[in-house]
Amino acid sequence: MSIDVLGISCYYHDSAATLVRDGEIIAAVQEERFTRRKHDPGFPDNAINYCLEEGEIDPNELSAVVFYDNPLQTFDRIVKSLLHAAPNGVDQWLKAAPTWLGLKLKVQQTIHERLDPDVKVLFSDHHMSHAASAFYPSPYSDAAVITMDGVGEWATTAVGAGHGESLEIFDEIRFPHSLGLLYSAFTYYTGFRVNSGEYKLMGLAAYGEPEYESLIRDHLIDIKDDGSYRLNMDYFGFLDSNMMISQKFEDLLGGPAREPESRISRRDMNLASSIQVVLEDVVLKLARRARKQTGLPNLVLAGGVALNCVANGKILSEGIFDNVWIQPAAGDAGGALGAALVASHTYFDVPRQVETRGRDGQKGSYLGPAYSNREVKAFLDYREYPYSQVSDDERAATVASAIADGKIIGYMVGRMEYGPRSLGARSILGDARNVDTQSIMNLKIKFRESFRPFAPSVLEAYCEEYFGLKTDSPYMLLVAPVNEDRWIVSDTVIPDDGDMLPLINRPRSDIPAVTHVDYSARIQTVSPAEKPDYYAVIKEFEKLTGYGLIVNTSFNVRGEPIVASPEDAYRCFMRTGIDMLVLENCILIKNEQPEFPEDVDWKDTYAVD
Amino acid sequence: MQWTDQQQVEFLTRFYNEIIAAAADLLKQQDVEILTTKPDPNELSYFSQRAQSSMKPEELELDLEDIDWVKNALAQIADGPESEILADVYGRIIDLAARFEEIDDAEDVSPYIYVMF
């Protein structure tokens, strides 16, 4: 009889569910993909239903349901924070009490009510869940483990090691001192949304100079040689208000936070650069210490800070570890997977199977729902949307040819990705060689800020031809430089008025659409083993053009969760400047489609992220 | 219990003042530092060692549906000289849970503050 463990994360950010059977990941998906509510923190009913369906199992057959966090430890932190802040914490109490007492503390009851009254409910530990999500699916028998996030229970950063089935966390940094919260404070201060805009801050950092670095080090954070750190809470608001920063923070850095959606100034770029430099310093010090402490050549990472792929790339380029593996669902969604794995290996003693063929156990992170051709055709026929049906080979050739002609493609084939990155199952594709691709994709497809770079999907075997990266990066979590012989060197100075556009639109290499202002790229390597259909598209493109890479960005518009179903994909296709839509083996051309009238302006549907 | 938003705010505000703020005053009188909020140049490292480095099977088992079990578990978490005060506050807050109807859904993720409470 198999051991089937359902992992759940919810009530904070990005709720999700995962099904693990005898230690193998069967299914994993975020709730937002079904509810179309970005970062949906609600109980993941839809995600659970999908996981059970994929595993062909009923709730009463589950060995256990595991929640990713220990609510009692979190409760302890919240009450102590309130006691610390008193008498100034009444607003936080009024906000926290109803949801804590009416929802979060009742999670076990909710699981029993919604799944099965007799199912065993277990609880993991937040950072242990992150650590497990990084270690168990990794391709290593032994590895050092670092987890970093905003906060989970009391910990904000944890360091440990995994050996076979055993996983330990040795030590941690505790709330309120948090690298994630420090970065989020700057996310807020530079006018982006906390909890989602952190990667924009990372992208913006490349445009600036770290002129605030010493102010940050002198006043906001004290960093020890071992990478441990402590914040000066005088500058932060999150302990005694519903704001990330205090007035003192604004006074120190010379003014109020940037208004969301207002023009980004050179100062904002410099702030972004400064906090990125500080974050990288901490991450590198933590990595050096973990290497020394464990003596292991492999490192695994998880927690929201591990989505900072620039810092991840630095760990590799500094040669601190021989190998680095990062959980693609590094944020709270990944906690569902980690919780299920903790219970599988710790509670049920399931032996761990390490992949021995050089791959990992994450299955390319293609762990979400897929739609068969029959389902796609039924949808298209019912709606009378014109399409043509092609073979797998024809699909690859057609898509590659369209990309080479400068067309933008919405591509939905196979199981959906688990984690925030699109990896060729729910992607928008374009030509990396085309100097206009970045601005077309940003402004006519994604409707997002023009400074944000796009990522390349490159055939695994061709990676070193383009980038200074000597390892696989299947999850788009490593940044590395474009090879210097491909650079088109130009002036990178931003004018005094802070107008970035002339700089953004200047080609910086022969693959301008994926070359960031600092000549870096956020790379996804594609192998035929994990995603043969996507590999075939890029391979065909390479045959046509000599370039073994294309642009890959998530299939959504700004503020929208990544598309999940054919209906989501068609809607996004019709609302944007996408030229061609691929739904499994069905191909749709924009100018052949009927009118797509909508009662409301869809741009009002999603809060900009 | 059914109550209006205003009744709930008034009730929770009173609870905050009478229980939480009062307990905080007591802790302050005893010079208890609940959270460290400043760097310390004399410290060599800010790492805290974990009491238990790995999870034991029994640690995964909680019984949140049993209020008495929850109170007892929280009383054990409350440590140090302030444990009595903390355990009392925890117990009183947990008793409130019975007065709060189950909420169906979590609020949207805030754009202004990291969701940590």
Side-chain angles (χ1 to χ4, degrees):
Chain A
M1 198 172 142
S2 60
I3 300 293
D4 289 285
V5 182
L6 183 75
I8 292 176
S9 61
C10 59
Y11 299 154
Y12 289 90
H13 319 94
D14 298 300
S15 69
T18 307
L19 181 68
V20 170
R21 175 169 294 153
D22 293 331
E24 180 190 353
I25 309 168
I26 302 298
V29 66
Q30 292 116 291
E31 182 71 0
E32 64 161 23
R33 305 295 166 87
F34 300 100
T35 60
R36 315 304 300 153
R37 181 183 172 201
K38 187 92 168 167
H39 304 300
D40 192 339
F43 190 82
D45 291 298
N46 298 284
I48 290 169
N49 285 342
Y50 161 68
C51 288
L52 298 178
E53 195 179 301
E54 188 70 38
E56 297 178 345
I57 187 170
D58 287 327
N60 61 4
E61 297 172 297
L62 288 167
S63 307
V65 179
V66 194
F67 191 65
Y68 79 128
D69 184 286
N70 182 326
L72 298 184
Q73 292 290 344
T74 305
F75 179 91
D76 181 51
R77 169 175 55 80
I78 291 170
V79 176
K80 282 183 180 155
S81 298
L82 289 166
L83 288 166
H84 171 85
N88 297 322
V90 69
D91 287 345
Q92 285 177 303
W93 164 247
L94 291 176
K95 198 167 168 50
T99 51
W100 240 96
L101 299 170
L103 184 74
K104 296 175 183 177
L105 197 62
K106 294 179 176 166
V107 63
Q108 191 165 3
Q109 182 183 326
T110 305
I111 292 169
H112 280 143
E113 284 169 2
R114 303 219 189 168
L115 282 163
D116 183 88
D118 297 320
V119 72
K120 183 189 283 292
V121 179
L122 301 173
F123 295 84
S124 181
D125 162 295
H126 190 102
H127 278 262
M128 193 61 87
S129 295
H130 279 319
S133 77
F135 174 62
Y136 290 124
S138 80
Y140 317 132
S141 297
D142 308 278
V145 183
I146 299 176
T147 65
M148 302 164 285
D149 67 2
V151 61
E153 294 141 11
W154 274 103
T156 65
T157 295
V159 182
H163 303 280
E165 288 86 20
S166 126
L167 181 58
E168 287 182 279
I169 292 177
F170 309 132
D171 38 28
E172 62 191 21
I173 294 166
R174 289 164 73 88
F175 184 81
H177 311 291
S178 165
L179 194 57
L181 293 179
L182 173 67
Y183 206 76
S184 287
F186 276 83
T187 301
Y188 164 77
Y189 189 58
T190 48
F192 301 115
R193 282 176 75 100
V194 174
N195 300 301
S196 70
E198 283 75 7
Y199 63 98
K200 295 185 191 180
L201 188 65
M202 181 186 74
L204 188 63
Y207 292 93
E209 295 295 325
E211 68 172 43
Y212 297 92
E213 181 189 351
S214 52
L215 267 185
I216 295 170
R217 288 179 186 279
D218 291 346
H219 298 274
L220 302 185
I221 183 169
D222 181 35
I223 306 166
K224 300 295 186 191
D225 289 343
D226 62 2
S228 65
Y229 56 85
R230 191 175 281 179
L231 304 183
N232 183 340
M233 293 309 299
D234 287 351
Y235 292 91
F236 298 91
F238 56 83
L239 266 183
D240 55 7
S241 75
N242 286 320
M243 301 300 288
M244 290 304 296
I245 61 174
S246 70
Q247 182 63 47
K248 211 169 164 181
F249 186 105
E250 294 187 343
D251 294 343
L252 176 73
L253 294 169
R258 180 178 75 92
E259 281 294 318
E261 302 305 304
S262 65
R263 186 172 181 149
I264 293 169
S265 67
R266 186 194 283 193
R267 176 171 170 270
D268 299 311
M269 299 170 208
N270 291 342
L271 285 163
S273 171
S274 305
I275 192 60
Q276 180 65 27
V277 166
V278 171
L279 177 131
E280 287 169 19
D281 181 41
V282 175
V283 171
L284 291 175
K285 282 179 168 146
L286 286 168
R288 286 193 192 96
R289 188 225 187 209
R291 174 72 202 244
K292 198 172 161 191
Q293 191 177 15
T294 64
L296 295 168
N298 308 314
L299 172 67
V300 297
L301 296 169
V305 177
L307 292 172
N308 194 303
C309 40
V310 178
N312 297 342
K314 296 266 168 76
I315 295 175
L316 256 185
S317 64
E318 292 278 320
I320 302 169
F321 285 89
D322 299 356
N323 306 294
V324 178
W325 193 88
I326 304 140
Q327 166 54 237
D332 272 8
L337 172 60
L341 291 167
V342 166
S344 297
H345 298 298
T346 302
Y347 193 87
F348 292 106
D349 292 326
V350 173
R352 179 177 176 230
Q353 303 291 327
V354 181
E355 273 287 334
T356 52
R357 293 164 295 167
R359 316 302 305 185
D360 58 47
Q362 186 79 11
K363 300 181 175 175
S365 220
Y366 304 109
L367 298 165
Y371 292 81
S372 67
N373 262 314
R374 219 175 76 182
E375 289 170 299
V376 168
K377 282 175 66 182
F379 163 72
L380 296 174
D381 290 341
Y382 178 73
R383 297 288 179 89
E384 298 182 341
Y385 296 147
Y387 66 93
S388 55
Q389 195 176 350
V390 294
S391 68
D392 288 357
D393 289 347
E394 287 168 337
R395 177 179 62 202
T398 305
V399 172
S401 170
I403 295 172
D405 285 345
K407 300 284 190 285
I408 305 294
I409 318 297
Y411 189 82
M412 174 178 161
V413 177
R415 294 183 70 179
M416 186 170 64
E417 302 88 343
Y418 177 49
R421 302 280 92 87
S422 282
L423 302 169
R426 301 290 185 278
S427 291
I428 297 173
L429 312 177
D431 189 347
R433 304 167 305 156
N434 190 332
V435 74
D436 296 325
T437 301
Q438 182 176 2
S439 58
I440 290 171
M441 278 188 158
N442 267 331
L443 301 175
K444 293 187 180 168
I445 313 266
K446 305 282 283 187
F447 302 100
R448 70 181 202 184
E449 301 93 333
S450 57
F451 72 86
R452 291 169 59 189
F454 287 104
S457 289
V458 59
L459 298 174
E460 203 173 62
Y462 289 66
C463 184
E464 287 188 62
E465 213 173 275
Y466 298 95
F467 308 107
L469 182 68
K470 296 185 189 309
T471 186
D472 298 343
S473 177
Y475 304 117
M476 210 185 268
L477 286 169
L478 293 171
V479 164
V482 173
N483 288 341
E484 215 167 324
D485 59 357
R486 295 186 171 275
W487 290 10
I488 299 169
V489 179
S490 59
D491 190 5
T492 57
V493 176
I494 294 169
D496 283 340
D497 64 3
D499 185 1
M500 292 189 287
L501 271 180
L503 185 63
I504 290 163
N505 293 328
R506 202 174 297 163
R508 284 176 289 277
S509 77
D510 63 334
I511 43 172
V514 295
T515 307
H516 200 17
V517 68
D518 59 354
Y519 300 95
S520 69
R522 182 162 50 91
I523 300 157
Q524 179 200 3
T525 54
V526 180
S527 82
E530 259 124 22
K531 191 68 177 145
D533 61 281
Y534 191 44
Y535 182 89
V537 168
I538 308 172
K539 189 69 189 165
E540 284 296 323
F541 185 79
E542 190 268 334
K543 282 185 203 163
L544 283 175
T545 65
Y547 280 72
L549 82 173
I550 58 175
V551 177
N552 171 11
T553 186
S554 54
F555 197 162
N556 61 348
V557 292
R558 187 179 171 199
E560 181 192 20
I562 292 169
V563 302
S565 67
E567 185 167 11
D568 301 334
Y570 187 84
R571 195 187 308 116
C572 187
F573 167 56
M574 293 307 292
R575 285 172 168 176
T576 63
I578 295 173
D579 300 299
M580 175 190 283
L581 174 64
V582 178
L583 297 173
E584 295 299 328
N585 289 81
C586 298
I587 293 184
L588 295 86
I589 306 298
K590 174 63 73 56
N591 58 21
E592 295 173 0
Q593 300 306 308
E595 289 288 310
F596 190 71
E598 293 190 89
D599 294 339
V600 291
D601 183 352
W602 66 266
K603 286 177 187 150
D604 297 335
T605 312
Y606 305 113
V608 289
D609 64 356
Chain B
M1 176 182 168
Q2 292 283 345
W3 50 19
T4 64
D5 287 351
Q6 186 54 35
Q7 283 173 320
Q8 182 171 291
V9 166
E10 285 169 7
F11 174 82
L12 288 173
T13 303
R14 198 164 58 244
F15 183 94
Y16 179 86
N17 290 328
E18 290 173 3
I19 307 298
I20 297 175
D25 276 346
L26 273 177
L27 292 169
K28 274 176 197 145
Q29 284 166 23
Q30 294 178 18
D31 289 331
V32 174
E33 188 187 37
I34 300 166
L35 299 175
T36 53
T37 56
K38 293 261 171 59
D40 180 352
N42 298 319
E43 294 266 12
L44 290 174
S45 173
Y46 294 127
F47 277 116
S48 304
Q49 206 170 4
R50 276 224 170 187
Q52 286 174 325
S53 60
S54 57
M55 286 197 82
K56 295 184 172 60
E58 60 270 22
E59 288 171 339
L60 278 77
E61 293 176 340
L62 308 180
D63 190 358
L64 301 187
E65 287 169 288
D66 180 340
I67 291 286
D68 291 333
W69 187 94
V70 171
K71 280 185 184 174
N72 188 42
L74 285 169
Q76 287 175 36
I77 289 174
D79 56 2
E82 69 278 21
S83 60
E84 215 169 289
I85 298 170
L86 290 176
D88 180 58
V89 174
Y90 293 162
R92 286 168 183 265
I93 295 176
I94 293 300
D95 281 337
L96 282 185
R99 306 179 65 151
F100 281 80
E101 306 231 331
E102 199 174 332
I103 293 172
D104 278 343
D105 204 0
E107 281 183 6
D108 279 342
V109 170
S110 167
Y112 303 112
I113 188 158
Y114 189 92
V115 184
M116 64 187 94
F117 281 173

